[in-house]
Amino acid sequence: MTYYSEHSKVWVSVDCIIFGFDENRMKVLIGRRQMDPGRGEWSLYGGFVDAEESLDEAAERTLSELTGLEHVFMRQVGAFGRVDRDPGERVISVVYYALINVKDYSETLRREHGVEWVDAGELPQLYSDHNMMVDKAWKLMKQKMRTEPIGFRLLPKLFTLTQLQRLYEAVSGEEIDKRNFRKRIKEMDYIEKTDKIDKTGSKRGAYLYRFNDNAYKEDPNFKL
């Protein structure tokens, strides 16, 4: 015990970067900080790790408290531990990013927590190093989406091919050729065409598709 007492204590927190997709734009959920230091500044949502929980458990609890959602796709981004990153105490933050469907998030709960969906490309200055956290999470998510179909977490269960294309364009920041994109989609057995039609965009409408978890098998050549 003497060895431990010879060293200063460090606080450990988790910060959650929650990505959503709405109106053909990638969004991030942020809110005004409710405590000092930094009260009133834009910030990510996070909290301290309890003594009897793992990092993943702390992140899952924090996400659940904010969104009320369970079994959300979440991945660790990394640790941020600059000595002066928190003027209150010496705090190391372990960051996670999560992908949710904006429509699944209760508006009542969003208002209760005082958070807002903000365009990922137009984020304001956030508290401490939170902008750096978002930048790193964005790069990791972008890489992941090129090798695994995680983007379906951002869409409703039934979606049009146009919605799917707009999602990948929003993440990549580049326009995608429609014919090539749809040709590639037809080669993927785990994207199923249904007999349902979405007529919100036009009278003719567009067929709705869905992601089939059972049909999906990790493919090292998967790329959109």
Side-chain angles (χ1 to χ4, degrees):
M1 295 299 292
T2 303
Y3 175 78
Y4 291 100
S5 64
E6 291 174 351
H7 294 78
S8 59
K9 293 183 179 180
V10 176
W11 296 85
V12 179
S13 68
V14 292
D15 280 296
C16 293
I17 301 167
I18 303 172
F19 290 111
F21 179 67
D22 193 33
E23 298 177 341
N24 296 330
R25 307 287 289 181
M26 286 297 296
K27 308 280 185 174
V28 179
L29 200 60
I30 61 175
R32 295 286 185 179
R33 192 168 165 87
Q34 302 296 315
M35 66 193 78
D36 294 319
R39 185 183 296 272
E41 294 183 33
W42 287 108
S43 172
L44 297 172
Y45 191 86
F48 288 110
V49 179
D50 291 340
E52 297 181 355
E53 64 182 357
S54 68
L55 290 171
D56 287 355
E57 288 169 343
E60 290 168 0
R61 171 180 55 78
T62 300
L63 180 65
S64 179
E65 289 173 355
L66 176 61
T67 66
L69 302 175
E70 303 289 343
H71 309 299
V72 173
F73 177 87
M74 179 184 287
R75 290 293 183 272
Q76 189 180 115
V77 175
F80 287 71
R82 194 183 67 212
V83 175
D84 61 348
R85 62 174 302 276
D86 192 316
E89 290 285 352
R90 177 76 168 96
V91 180
I92 293 174
S93 179
V94 180
V95 181
Y96 289 76
Y97 77 84
L99 306 180
I100 71 172
N101 179 1
V102 171
K103 300 296 187 295
D104 288 341
Y105 186 27
S106 163
E107 273 295 300
T108 301
L109 202 55
R110 185 190 65 78
R111 289 193 296 270
E112 180 182 315
H113 285 284
V115 290
E116 298 180 22
W117 288 109
V118 177
D119 193 316
E122 300 175 0
L123 286 178
Q125 181 60 48
L126 304 178
Y127 175 74
S128 186
D129 49 7
H130 289 193
N131 288 88
M132 294 172 60
M133 293 177 178
V134 176
D135 287 343
K136 185 173 181 180
W138 180 270
K139 291 175 183 177
L140 292 175
M141 178 192 65
K142 187 175 180 179
Q143 292 171 359
K144 192 82 168 172
M145 283 187 66
R146 291 181 65 85
T147 58
E148 294 181 33
I150 64 172
F152 295 98
R153 311 275 183 167
L154 297 161
L155 295 171
K157 290 183 179 180
L158 295 177
F159 52 85
T160 66
L161 291 185
T162 297
Q163 285 177 302
L164 184 60
Q165 180 175 337
R166 294 289 179 265
L167 169 62
Y168 278 89
E169 288 177 334
V171 173
S172 67
E174 300 174 352
E175 210 171 298
I176 299 174
D177 180 77
K178 181 178 178 179
R179 286 180 298 178
N180 289 339
F181 181 81
R182 299 202 171 197
K183 180 181 178 181
R184 184 74 181 93
I185 292 299
K186 288 182 179 179
E187 298 172 357
M188 300 176 185
D189 295 335
Y190 48 87
I191 300 179
E192 297 180 337
K193 184 179 181 180
T194 71
D195 58 0
K196 296 180 174 60
I197 296 177
D198 174 27
K199 293 188 176 181
T200 57
S202 66
K203 289 184 179 180
R204 182 181 178 184
Y207 277 103
L208 290 166
Y209 290 72
R210 66 185 169 206
F211 176 71
N212 187 330
D213 283 289
N214 295 325
Y216 171 68
K217 294 180 180 179
E218 289 193 24
D219 179 2
N221 297 315
F222 172 83
K223 185 177 181 181
L224 275 175

